[in-house]
Amino acid sequence: RSPIGSPAALAPEIDSPTPLAETQALLEATRADLLRLSAAQEQLFALLQAREDGRPAGGRSPATVPRLEGDDAEAPALEFRLFRFFEVRRGQQTADRWTSKKARLLLAYLAMKGDAPATRESLIEMFWPDSLPERGANNLSIAIHQIRARLGKLIPGDDRGIRVEQGTYRLSPGSGASIDVVEFQRHITRGRTAIGAGEEATARDELSAAVALCTGDLLESDPYEEWTIEPRRALAQTYQWALAWLAADAASSGDWGSVLQHGRTMVWRDACNEEGHRLIIQAHGELGNRSEALRQYRECADTLESQTGVGPSPETKALAAAIVGKLSE
């Protein structure tokens, strides 16, 4: 199907050769249709921009969103989930069926930033890097409009979840939105602070809460978006660090079952995480499972050799040898 506004969409099908005069008339009619469509687009962009800036458009006040049935001060806030797959919920309702991938990813990016605003220029550069400035601004306006249309089904208010002011964009402040990535980082920060203060119980609670939130990598459904690569790597490293600390904490109290669980989670998320393999080997050794410790060592060696071309480190070899005896090369 030809896109709306293209000559192919506006011109009728031609089954037989058309005389020159008829062809010229057809071209003139098509040109007139395109001009009318262009004027309509400009009016739409102006309307959208006026709504973003909070100004009345054409003498009319911005439309408000009807309150949801049962909507009151006790209604749940929006929930943003960015680990694994992107999802926006409010209670039992979900903003789904996104027709625009750009709009969905733009909302995910704004959610990941939490309360921090993003400038119009930075968003255009990130999501429409090859567009001319005016075209990029129009694309951004359309994407914001699509986001508000989706969120408008979940929340009341004129801004519909997105605040636009002085050329910046962010989630509406004071909305109380729950964002898993932001909450994860808060728990990690509190956990690190507690570790520094020697408050191990608090650190344990905070890091356990962070680990529970991280159900997968950041936006696994969109692995090739360039702006997700570095945050995804950093969050995965932080997650593995939290698991390693919790495992060491469990080992200090002789809770080898928890050590085994944390080690398995580390390896499940990253098959080449040698520290996770060592935790599993050590836990099996302490629990008297020498055959399982040897099996885990062999799995570690095979995985590292096949994926990195390098075998286990001397530390891992020494740990396994101390538990199961001489290792066969």
Side-chain angles (χ1 to χ4, degrees):
R1 176 185 299 177
S2 301
I4 296 177
S6 69
L10 296 173
E13 295 183 359
I14 301 175
D15 297 325
S16 59
T18 306
L20 178 59
E22 293 183 10
T23 301
Q24 290 176 338
L26 178 60
L27 290 174
E28 289 299 326
T30 300
R31 185 177 299 110
D33 286 338
L34 289 173
L35 289 174
R36 283 193 293 270
L37 179 59
S38 178
Q41 286 179 321
E42 290 179 2
Q43 291 177 357
L44 175 61
F45 292 146
L47 175 61
L48 293 176
Q49 190 63 54
R51 291 185 62 180
E52 289 176 19
D53 295 337
R55 296 181 284 106
R60 299 176 59 185
S61 299
T64 58
V65 180
R67 295 179 66 83
L68 298 171
E69 183 178 353
D71 204 5
D72 53 35
E74 301 300 323
L78 284 179
E79 296 180 54
F80 290 86
R81 297 291 172 257
L82 285 83
F83 287 122
R84 289 198 70 190
F85 304 103
F86 180 63
E87 183 180 57
V88 186
R89 301 185 62 88
R90 186 179 188 233
Q92 299 301 313
Q93 296 180 296
T94 304
D96 53 9
R97 297 181 181 178
W98 291 88
T99 57
S100 169
K101 180 179 179 181
K102 289 287 189 182
R104 175 174 58 82
L105 289 173
L106 175 59
L107 179 58
Y109 177 76
L110 293 176
M112 191 176 71
K113 290 180 68 66
D115 294 332
T119 66
R120 177 181 285 113
E121 291 74 18
S122 67
L123 294 177
I124 293 173
E125 177 62 27
M126 179 173 296
F127 291 96
W128 298 277
D130 299 325
S131 297
L132 295 174
E134 183 178 357
R135 180 64 175 173
N138 288 339
N139 289 336
L140 177 58
S141 295
I142 292 174
I144 292 295
H145 176 71
Q146 292 170 332
I147 291 172
R148 284 172 165 169
R150 286 295 175 194
L151 297 187
K153 298 180 179 180
L154 302 182
I155 56 176
D158 291 343
D159 59 14
R160 304 188 188 184
I162 300 294
R163 177 67 58 85
V164 182
E165 51 188 2
Q166 298 180 348
T168 64
Y169 298 74
R170 59 171 169 161
L171 296 183
S172 297
S175 64
S178 170
I179 307 166
D180 59 355
V181 168
V182 174
E183 290 300 318
F184 172 84
Q185 293 170 322
R186 286 174 180 166
H187 285 302
I188 290 293
T189 298
R190 293 169 185 162
R192 291 185 189 276
T193 300
I195 292 172
E199 301 172 354
E200 294 185 356
T202 300
R204 188 180 308 119
D205 290 342
E206 293 291 346
L207 296 186
S208 294
V211 165
L213 284 169
C214 190
T215 57
D217 285 333
L218 175 70
L219 295 174
E220 289 181 13
S221 54
D222 300 280
Y224 305 114
E225 292 296 317
E226 186 174 352
W227 64 268
T228 68
I229 296 175
E230 180 55 30
R232 182 181 297 120
R233 182 195 64 79
L235 287 167
Q237 287 183 345
T238 301
Y239 173 76
Q240 294 281 11
W241 168 83
L243 283 172
W245 189 93
L246 289 170
D249 177 67
S252 67
S253 61
D255 185 1
W256 296 106
S258 293
V259 173
L260 186 61
Q261 178 183 352
H262 292 315
R264 284 172 171 168
T265 302
M266 293 170 71
V267 171
W268 174 69
R269 292 288 292 272
D270 180 3
C272 291
N273 189 318
E274 197 168 352
E275 184 177 9
H277 285 286
R278 284 198 298 270
L279 288 170
I280 299 173
I281 293 169
Q282 183 182 11
H284 278 310
E286 295 291 341
L287 293 170
N289 303 326
R290 294 178 69 247
S291 61
E292 287 298 314
L294 178 59
R295 186 198 66 77
Q296 189 64 41
Y297 171 76
R298 288 174 175 167
E299 178 182 322
C300 173
D302 291 344
T303 300
L304 292 175
E305 184 65 36
S306 64
Q307 297 195 24
T308 70
V310 179
S313 66
E315 181 181 0
T316 302
K317 290 181 179 180
L319 173 64
I323 295 173
V324 303
K326 181 176 177 60
L327 298 170
S328 57
E329 297 297 336

